[in-house]
Amino acid sequence: MSDITKSELDRRSLLRRAAAVGLAATPAVGMLSACVGGGSDEPANQATGTKSADNPLGIDPKAPVEIVIFDGGLGTKYATDVDTPMYKKKWPESEVKYSATEQIATTIKPRLNSATAPDMINNSGADMMDFGAIVKAGQAADLTDLFAAPSFDIAGKTVAETLVPGAIEQGTYDVEGGRKPFAVNYSFTVFGLYYNKKLFDKNGWTAPATWADFTALCDKIKAAGITPFAYAGANASYYMVRAIMTSAAKIGTEQVLKDLDNLKPGAWQAPAIKQAAEAWGHIGAKYMNKSFLGLRHTEVQLQQNQDKVAIYPCGSWLENEQAASITPNFEYAVMPYPSVTTADQLPATAINAAAGEIYFASTKGTNVQGGKEYLRVMLSKAAALEFTKLTKSLTVVAGAADGQTISPGLTSGNDMLSKAGKDVFMGYLWDTWYKKMNDASLEAVNTLMFSGGDAQKFCDTMEKIAQEVANDASISKNTRA
């Protein structure tokens, strides 16, 4: 751990939690390694009520509901100060039993297995449970009725209709009887190219939409004595891998990334992958500081805050992570990755975004429908906005932060998300599924960007590793629809 800061571990955990249940990944639960017992016993008494327009999930208005929240980077005030009071206002006769812990698996697994579980659980953190195994054991409730229920506070829409594209799919698994949703992945990370808006405004620089505009901008920035583009080669190479994967998806659609996830022979030789690698390799050769190969993410990010670096590829946590280094002359903003070719199949406004932080209702609680109702409260526009204000993180509730000035970077990210519309794709999963591929990609992208590596070498290296993984019988394989 000496080589990786806690903040970077948190960032990696966020990405992996988001990707582990990625869009349409839906791994068959029979393929997932179990970390929990079967837990076949049901609680003796399940609270139920009568369904109505005012009570679409049919909860017992007087039954207590127990929730457990992970006490981590997002804090717990959104639960104690927002969600619980909203639930109590709606159902004043129901007691909300609340607790928070950093040790989710240690605390919750024994209760799941003994059918004494909380009704709603935030499965997160270093001690998070294998959620696929929970689904396999029948310990997570089917949320189909939740998503079909009316929104808590948006008239005329179901819960499903209020969410960003792909939000439900991210918590969907293949089980006996078909694909069903079992999780709400609540927080939402937007990825793009981050920059100092005040620096850009001062110099008359504008966010580019095409690759020609991008390189022209880099020329202007370089002429001004500023490093145009940078990332940290020591511990944040995966930021650059994501940049290449994002560009490849914009060139050839997200199917290009799905083929990589499915270890399809020749997938890494796809024209879209090579074109993206060529384009970014040119940026590395002409516009990066080669000494950054040995720097860490916080060192490069600090240089950006000092206007020594202009453009940095990252996720929407960046502004909060750098809060202590932001001066009055620095204002975070974010732009989409520009189109690489004139024939890109996704528009320049398309972006990569991913939901994270698993929340689920347990079948082993005594008030399953109450747990779902608590999730319906969380998925209200009002609760989502307050979550964003408290945590500086967007949510999967579409437009909840529209028109709100939360912070410059987050507001910019939300605007970028709104402009993307339905052209939001969730990315790739091979980096979390296959460690060997992930490790190889970090070295390969550094060679491409810092050491004059060429695109074909990048593709050849990754194709070789991918097929080694595909042919290794000892590695459990996943598939993506």
Side-chain angles (χ1 to χ4, degrees), residues 378-455:
M378 290 182 64
L379 292 170
S380 68
K381 187 173 183 179
L385 174 58
E386 292 306 312
F387 177 91
T388 296
K389 289 179 178 179
L390 287 168
T391 67
K392 292 186 172 62
S393 175
L394 296 173
T395 74
V396 293
V397 180
D402 287 357
Q404 303 290 325
T405 302
I406 309 301
S407 66
L410 200 59
T411 299
S412 177
N414 189 56
D415 289 345
M416 185 174 71
L417 180 64
S418 297
K419 290 175 182 176
K422 294 190 178 298
D423 293 309
V424 178
F425 57 94
M426 299 298 173
Y428 54 99
L429 298 168
W430 54 263
D431 63 329
T432 62
W433 284 352
Y434 308 116
K435 185 178 185 299
K436 185 174 182 178
M437 285 178 65
N438 180 62
D439 290 347
S441 73
L442 304 182
E443 182 177 349
V445 80
N446 276 350
T447 299
L448 174 70
M449 298 298 293
F450 285 107
S451 303
D454 60 69

Side-chain angles (χ1 to χ4, degrees), residues 78-119:
Y78 69 91
T80 59
D81 295 8
V82 180
D83 301 335
T84 295
M86 286 180 65
Y87 187 96
K88 286 286 294 179
K89 183 177 180 180
K90 175 71 174 178
W91 308 108
E93 295 182 271
S94 173
E95 177 191 2
V96 177
K97 298 178 179 179
Y98 161 86
S99 62
T101 179
E102 294 182 8
Q103 302 298 320
I104 290 293
T106 301
T107 303
I108 301 302
K109 278 201 298 183
R111 297 186 60 187
L112 284 170
N113 295 336
S114 62
T116 59
D119 303 301

Side-chain angles (χ1 to χ4, degrees), residues 5 11 13 18 39 105 113 125 145-146 175 177 211-212 224 259 290 390 402:
T5 65
R11 296 284 67 79
S13 295
N113 295 336
D145 57 345
L146 165 65
V175 295
W211 206 259
D259 289 344
K290 301 303 186 292
L390 287 168
D402 287 357

Side-chain angles (χ1 to χ4, degrees), residues 55-77:
N55 185 9
L57 294 175
I59 75 165
D60 178 348
K62 297 181 180 181
V65 60
E66 183 182 2
I67 66 165
V68 174
I69 301 296
F70 170 64
D71 189 358
L74 296 175
T76 60
K77 288 179 71 65

